[in-house]
């Protein structure tokens, strides 16, 4: 799985868009970009994933560059409840199961 | 719909005692994973079940750890003769199929005194 690099922390004002970057320059062609988050003392929560195209769901949007070397997770209207550690990981969905490992992630702090 | 559930949410035990942790995956999910997360650390894979196939136990840290799964439903993780270093959050995740997105439960916080 690709090594991903994320800034250790970011701040965002409540109601504003939070744009969380992730670099994955070694990503392979069949490797998906996944985003999870972990709110303090809770289990990881799946947010969104994509391969090549931009994706949007009820939680967030995922913008993947054309060369797939980086991506941005966008929370369009951040709330205090979005304060969490956000993890960007590359996953090849193949047989044998996918043993997830999280890096250090980005600690997003949403403030009033 | 219902997500992954785990019980108990918290468990305090004395060193040397056995503990059993339970995971109820999302209905219809054939794949189930157990992970461990120590305080401030990342995920540590423990074991993976896929349908009726033999489980992948490659992440179990010692023979004190074992897990079972009944068909494609409930799984239990058993830790025998607990040690203080077993203190962690034990997370369960399930996916529709082994190639699908994993969804996590809230975890069981285990404290071994």
């Amino acid at each position: 799985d690709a090594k991903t690099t994320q800034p250790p922390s970011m701040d965002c004002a409540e109601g504003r868009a939070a744009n969380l970057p992730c670099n994955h320059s070694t990503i392979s062609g069949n490797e998906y970009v996944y985003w999870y988050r972990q709110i303090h003392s809770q289990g990881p929560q799946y947010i969104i994933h994509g391969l090549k195209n931009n994706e949007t769901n009820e939680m967030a949007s995922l913008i993947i560059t054309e060369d797939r070397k980086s991506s941005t997770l966008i929370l369009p209207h951040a709330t205090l409840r979005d304060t969490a550690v956000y993890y960007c990981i590359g996953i090849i969905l193949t047989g044998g199961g996918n043993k997830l490992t999280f890096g250090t992630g980005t600690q997003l702090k949403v403030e009033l | 719909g219902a997500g992954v559930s785990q019980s108990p949410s918290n468990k305090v035990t004395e060193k040397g005692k056995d503990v059993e942790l339970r995971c109820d995956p999302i209905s219809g999910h054939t794949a189930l994973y157990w992970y461990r997360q120590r305080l401030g650390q990342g995920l540590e894979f423990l074991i993976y079940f896929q349908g009726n196939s033999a489980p992948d136990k490659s992440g179990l840290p010692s023979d004190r750890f074992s897990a079972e799964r009944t068909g494609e439903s409930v799984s239990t993780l058993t830790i025998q003769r607990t040690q203080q270093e077993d203190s962690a959050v034990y997370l369960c995740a399930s996916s529709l199929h082994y190639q699908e997105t994993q969804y996590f439960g809230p975890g069981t916080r285990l404290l071994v005194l």
Side-chain angles (χ1 to χ4, degrees):
Chain A
D1 294 342
K3 175 177 164 48
T4 61
T5 305
Q6 300 177 252
S9 64
M10 291 183 65
D11 293 333
C12 180
E14 189 177 35
R16 303 297 293 269
N19 299 291
L20 291 88
C22 179
N23 286 322
H24 33 78
S25 57
T26 61
I27 198 168
S28 57
N30 60 345
E31 199 164 356
Y32 286 78
V33 178
Y34 265 78
W35 284 83
Y36 282 84
R37 73 180 181 184
Q38 195 164 20
I39 296 169
H40 183 61
S41 297
Q42 297 183 22
Q45 180 186 23
Y46 164 75
I47 302 173
I48 198 167
H49 74 283
L51 185 63
K52 296 179 184 177
N53 299 323
N54 298 336
E55 302 288 345
T56 295
N57 63 20
E58 65 278 4
M59 287 184 68
S61 295
L62 174 60
I63 308 298
I64 304 174
T65 58
E66 194 168 341
D67 63 7
R68 301 210 329 120
K69 292 183 184 301
S70 66
S71 61
T72 301
L73 178 74
I74 301 172
L75 307 178
H77 306 287
T79 71
L80 298 178
R81 286 186 297 235
D82 293 321
T83 292
V85 180
Y86 287 76
Y87 299 100
C88 164
I89 55 176
I91 302 176
I92 297 174
L93 298 178
T94 60
N98 297 285
K99 302 165 188 175
L100 300 186
T101 57
F102 291 166
T104 52
T106 296
Q107 171 67 63
L108 176 68
K109 189 174 180 183
V110 181
E111 300 172 310
L112 293 172
Chain B
V4 178
S5 61
Q6 293 186 245
S7 61
S9 53
N10 293 281
K11 177 72 176 179
V12 180
T13 190
E14 294 179 349
K15 178 180 172 182
K17 300 281 189 183
D18 297 351
V19 295
E20 192 171 278
L21 313 180
R22 176 187 169 108
C23 172
D24 282 89
I26 294 172
S27 178
H29 279 199
T30 63
L32 186 148
Y33 302 77
W34 282 98
Y35 294 89
R36 178 168 70 179
Q37 189 172 35
R38 292 196 168 102
L39 187 64
Q41 303 296 311
L43 292 181
E44 179 185 358
F45 166 77
L46 297 178
I47 189 169
Y48 156 70
F49 295 90
Q50 170 60 54
N52 295 319
S53 302
D56 178 349
K57 304 179 182 180
S58 60
L60 294 178
S62 77
D63 59 7
R64 295 187 296 104
F65 288 72
S66 63
E68 293 183 348
R69 187 180 186 195
T70 308
E72 294 183 350
S73 59
V74 171
S75 175
T76 55
L77 176 70
T78 301
I79 309 173
Q80 295 178 311
R81 305 180 302 283
T82 53
Q83 304 294 311
Q84 288 180 332
E85 67 256 26
D86 299 334
S87 295
V89 177
Y90 289 82
L91 292 160
C92 175
S94 72
S95 63
L96 185 62
H97 191 261
Y98 62 84
Q99 291 179 324
E100 299 288 333
T101 300
Q102 293 180 41
Y103 296 89
F104 284 82
T108 292
R109 282 149 197 81
L110 175 65
L111 177 61
V112 182
L113 300 176

